[in-house]
Amino acid sequence: MTVHLEVADGVGTLRLDRPPMNALDVATQDRLKELAEEAARRDDVRAVVIYGGEKVFAAGADIKEMQAMDHTAMVLRARGLQDSFTAVARIPKPVVAAVTGYALGGGCELALCADYRIAGENAKLGQPEILLGLIPGAGGTQRLSRLIGPSRAKDLIFTGRQVRADEALALGLVDRVVPAEEVYAQAHAWAAKLVQGPAIALRAAKEAVDAGLETDIDTGLAIERNWFAGLFATEDRERGMRSFVEEGPGKAKFL
């Protein structure tokens, strides 16, 4: 299998495993969708790390496979490509991308599906599809522009240039840069910290932010309001407030 789901202590790791560069062929895309949906369903997965290994995150699509596809074949496949990445973006739990080495094209688009990105000092990110006479097709034109703004996204998409970790951090494309050998450990620690949090409230927070970004401010506030009020029906809310009153802030333990 080219993607694995490994679960330990509430953290699920979606591990890409297609040496040498984790090229995202059709089989890998489909397996990624399958395991992302599994991670979303499983009660023993409370947070997710996306990881490509110590040397490379994902260098992009399998160009040899794509070269053999004509217009009709890609019309039939393009939705499946996007759906595999959307499945990752819609995991209703905190998701962190642990990025080492190249995260290009589809690899960059996969990292964009996470809620938070930790990159190694050796990371290089970019959307080089324009150099193939194409544009990003797995969400890059949409998620990248929402993350770093349209003009910065257009610069990367128009030129196809790669950015090193320090520039990616300055652009807001990644959220933290660490030594390459520490990337997975720090991503896992970020996820593990959230495993102990209130699962329904974390889900609500993620949905409120993501859904709110897709609409106007009034609708976004309505989404927030409905989730906020709804959480008053949960045991976690009772537990958190009781702990605050009896023990002080930050001491609640959630199931």
Side-chain angles (χ1 to χ4, degrees), residues 18 21 35 54 66-67 90 92 113 127 132 134 138 149 153 177 180-181 183 188 194 201 208 210 213 242-243:
R18 189 167 184 252
M21 301 301 286
L35 292 181
E54 296 178 356
M66 289 179 63
Q67 185 181 22
R90 290 185 178 169
C113 293
Q127 299 287 170
L132 301 173
L134 295 170
V177 175
E181 63 273 14
V183 168
H188 192 280
L194 297 175
D210 289 351
L213 285 171
R242 183 171 59 249
S243 174

Short mmCIF file of all heavy atoms in Angstrom, two decimals, residues 18 21 35 54 66-67 90 92 113 127 132 134 138 149 153 177 180-181 183 188 194 201 208 210 213 242-243:
data_model
loop_
_atom_site.label_atom_id
_atom_site.label_comp_id
_atom_site.label_asym_id
_atom_site.label_seq_id
_atom_site.Cartn_x
_atom_site.Cartn_y
_atom_site.Cartn_z
N ARG A 18 5.49 5.85 -0.95
CA ARG A 18 5.70 5.48 -2.36
C ARG A 18 7.07 6.00 -2.79
O ARG A 18 7.18 7.05 -3.44
CB ARG A 18 4.60 6.04 -3.25
CG ARG A 18 4.66 5.49 -4.67
CD ARG A 18 3.40 5.81 -5.47
NE ARG A 18 3.49 5.17 -6.77
CZ ARG A 18 3.70 5.81 -7.93
NH1 ARG A 18 3.79 7.14 -7.96
NH2 ARG A 18 3.80 5.14 -9.06
N MET A 21 9.88 9.38 -4.17
CA MET A 21 9.45 10.77 -4.00
C MET A 21 7.99 10.91 -3.58
O MET A 21 7.44 12.00 -3.59
CB MET A 21 9.67 11.54 -5.32
CG MET A 21 11.13 11.56 -5.79
SD MET A 21 12.25 12.31 -4.59
CE MET A 21 11.83 14.03 -4.78
N LEU A 35 -8.34 6.24 3.52
CA LEU A 35 -7.81 6.29 4.88
C LEU A 35 -8.18 7.60 5.58
O LEU A 35 -8.34 7.61 6.80
CB LEU A 35 -6.30 6.10 4.86
CG LEU A 35 -5.83 4.70 4.46
CD1 LEU A 35 -4.32 4.60 4.49
CD2 LEU A 35 -6.45 3.63 5.35
N GLU A 54 11.18 10.98 6.33
CA GLU A 54 12.27 11.87 6.73
C GLU A 54 12.84 12.70 5.58
O GLU A 54 13.37 13.78 5.81
CB GLU A 54 13.39 11.04 7.36
CG GLU A 54 12.97 10.33 8.65
CD GLU A 54 14.09 9.50 9.23
OE1 GLU A 54 15.17 9.41 8.58
OE2 GLU A 54 13.91 8.93 10.32
N MET A 66 0.18 10.89 -15.74
CA MET A 66 -0.65 11.96 -16.27
C MET A 66 -0.39 12.20 -17.76
O MET A 66 -1.31 12.55 -18.51
CB MET A 66 -0.40 13.25 -15.48
CG MET A 66 -0.96 13.23 -14.08
SD MET A 66 -0.61 14.77 -13.18
CE MET A 66 -1.48 15.96 -14.18
N GLN A 67 0.85 12.02 -18.20
CA GLN A 67 1.19 12.27 -19.60
C GLN A 67 0.39 11.35 -20.52
O GLN A 67 0.06 11.73 -21.65
CB GLN A 67 2.69 12.05 -19.82
CG GLN A 67 3.15 12.39 -21.23
CD GLN A 67 4.63 12.14 -21.42
OE1 GLN A 67 5.24 11.37 -20.69
NE2 GLN A 67 5.22 12.79 -22.41
N ARG A 90 -11.53 17.62 5.10
CA ARG A 90 -12.79 17.51 5.84
C ARG A 90 -12.72 16.55 7.02
O ARG A 90 -13.76 16.26 7.62
CB ARG A 90 -13.92 17.12 4.88
CG ARG A 90 -14.27 18.26 3.93
CD ARG A 90 -15.46 17.93 3.06
NE ARG A 90 -15.80 19.07 2.20
CZ ARG A 90 -16.65 19.01 1.19
NH1 ARG A 90 -17.27 17.87 0.91
NH2 ARG A 90 -16.91 20.08 0.46
N PRO A 92 -12.89 15.83 10.49
CA PRO A 92 -13.44 16.75 11.49
C PRO A 92 -12.65 16.75 12.80
O PRO A 92 -13.23 16.81 13.88
CB PRO A 92 -14.86 16.22 11.68
CG PRO A 92 -14.73 14.76 11.47
CD PRO A 92 -13.68 14.59 10.39
N CYS A 113 -4.27 21.07 2.91
CA CYS A 113 -5.49 20.48 3.47
C CYS A 113 -5.42 20.36 4.98
O CYS A 113 -6.45 20.08 5.62
CB CYS A 113 -5.74 19.10 2.85
SG CYS A 113 -6.13 19.15 1.09
N GLN A 127 3.97 25.33 -6.33
CA GLN A 127 2.95 24.85 -7.27
C GLN A 127 3.52 25.01 -8.68
O GLN A 127 3.25 26.00 -9.37
CB GLN A 127 1.66 25.67 -7.12
CG GLN A 127 1.02 25.59 -5.74
CD GLN A 127 0.35 24.26 -5.44
OE1 GLN A 127 -0.04 23.99 -4.31
NE2 GLN A 127 0.19 23.41 -6.44
N LEU A 132 4.31 22.89 -16.65
CA LEU A 132 3.85 21.78 -17.48
C LEU A 132 2.72 22.22 -18.41
O LEU A 132 2.11 21.39 -19.09
CB LEU A 132 3.33 20.64 -16.59
CG LEU A 132 4.33 20.04 -15.60
CD1 LEU A 132 3.62 19.04 -14.68
CD2 LEU A 132 5.47 19.36 -16.33
N LEU A 134 0.00 23.63 -17.20
CA LEU A 134 -1.22 23.32 -16.45
C LEU A 134 -1.41 24.32 -15.32
O LEU A 134 -0.60 25.24 -15.15
CB LEU A 134 -1.13 21.90 -15.86
CG LEU A 134 -1.08 20.74 -16.85
CD1 LEU A 134 -0.74 19.44 -16.13
CD2 LEU A 134 -2.40 20.62 -17.60
N ALA A 138 -5.72 20.09 -7.66
CA ALA A 138 -6.17 19.40 -6.45
C ALA A 138 -6.47 20.40 -5.33
O ALA A 138 -6.29 20.10 -4.16
CB ALA A 138 -5.14 18.37 -6.00
N GLY A 149 -3.43 34.65 0.63
CA GLY A 149 -3.91 35.81 -0.11
C GLY A 149 -3.74 35.62 -1.61
O GLY A 149 -2.82 34.91 -2.05
N ALA A 153 -0.48 34.03 -3.77
CA ALA A 153 -0.78 32.75 -4.40
C ALA A 153 -0.54 32.83 -5.91
O ALA A 153 0.04 31.91 -6.51
CB ALA A 153 -2.23 32.36 -4.12
N VAL A 177 8.92 26.36 11.50
CA VAL A 177 10.07 25.73 10.85
C VAL A 177 10.98 25.19 11.94
O VAL A 177 11.33 25.91 12.88
CB VAL A 177 10.83 26.71 9.94
CG1 VAL A 177 12.09 26.06 9.38
CG2 VAL A 177 9.93 27.20 8.81
N ALA A 180 15.04 19.45 10.36
CA ALA A 180 14.34 18.40 9.61
C ALA A 180 14.12 17.15 10.44
O ALA A 180 13.06 16.51 10.33
CB ALA A 180 15.14 18.07 8.35
N GLU A 181 15.08 16.81 11.27
CA GLU A 181 14.96 15.58 12.05
C GLU A 181 13.92 15.68 13.17
O GLU A 181 13.56 14.67 13.78
CB GLU A 181 16.31 15.18 12.63
CG GLU A 181 16.92 16.15 13.62
CD GLU A 181 17.76 17.25 12.97
OE1 GLU A 181 17.65 17.43 11.72
OE2 GLU A 181 18.51 17.90 13.71
N VAL A 183 10.84 17.25 12.67
CA VAL A 183 9.54 17.60 12.10
C VAL A 183 8.43 16.67 12.60
O VAL A 183 7.40 17.13 13.10
CB VAL A 183 9.60 17.58 10.56
CG1 VAL A 183 8.20 17.66 9.96
CG2 VAL A 183 10.44 18.74 10.06
N HIS A 188 3.73 15.47 15.84
CA HIS A 188 3.04 14.51 16.69
C HIS A 188 2.72 15.13 18.04
O HIS A 188 1.63 14.92 18.60
CB HIS A 188 3.89 13.25 16.86
CG HIS A 188 3.16 12.10 17.48
ND1 HIS A 188 2.96 11.99 18.83
CD2 HIS A 188 2.56 11.02 16.91
CE1 HIS A 188 2.29 10.90 19.08
NE2 HIS A 188 2.02 10.28 17.94
N LEU A 194 -3.67 17.99 21.53
CA LEU A 194 -5.09 18.19 21.25
C LEU A 194 -5.92 16.94 21.48
O LEU A 194 -7.15 17.02 21.62
CB LEU A 194 -5.27 18.70 19.82
CG LEU A 194 -4.62 20.07 19.56
CD1 LEU A 194 -4.73 20.45 18.10
CD2 LEU A 194 -5.26 21.15 20.43
N ALA A 201 -15.98 20.15 20.80
CA ALA A 201 -15.67 21.58 20.68
C ALA A 201 -14.59 21.80 19.63
O ALA A 201 -14.64 22.79 18.86
CB ALA A 201 -15.24 22.14 22.02
N ALA A 208 -16.55 25.75 12.17
CA ALA A 208 -16.94 27.16 12.17
C ALA A 208 -15.95 28.01 11.39
O ALA A 208 -16.34 28.87 10.60
CB ALA A 208 -17.06 27.66 13.60
N ASP A 210 -13.71 26.90 9.00
CA ASP A 210 -13.66 26.51 7.59
C ASP A 210 -14.92 26.92 6.85
O ASP A 210 -14.85 27.46 5.73
CB ASP A 210 -13.45 25.00 7.48
CG ASP A 210 -12.05 24.56 7.89
OD1 ASP A 210 -11.19 25.44 8.10
OD2 ASP A 210 -11.82 23.34 8.02
N LEU A 213 -15.20 30.77 6.34
CA LEU A 213 -14.36 31.33 5.29
C LEU A 213 -15.01 31.25 3.92
O LEU A 213 -14.59 31.96 3.00
CB LEU A 213 -13.00 30.60 5.25
CG LEU A 213 -12.03 30.94 6.38
CD1 LEU A 213 -10.83 30.00 6.34
CD2 LEU A 213 -11.56 32.39 6.28
N ARG A 242 -17.30 23.24 35.14
CA ARG A 242 -17.24 22.81 36.54
C ARG A 242 -15.79 22.85 37.04
O ARG A 242 -15.51 23.32 38.15
CB ARG A 242 -17.81 21.41 36.69
CG ARG A 242 -17.83 20.91 38.14
CD ARG A 242 -18.60 19.61 38.28
NE ARG A 242 -18.04 18.54 37.47
CZ ARG A 242 -18.63 18.02 36.39
NH1 ARG A 242 -19.81 18.48 35.99
NH2 ARG A 242 -18.05 17.05 35.71
N SER A 243 -14.88 22.39 36.21
CA SER A 243 -13.47 22.42 36.59
C SER A 243 -12.98 23.84 36.78
O SER A 243 -12.23 24.14 37.72
CB SER A 243 -12.62 21.70 35.53
OG SER A 243 -11.25 21.83 35.82
#
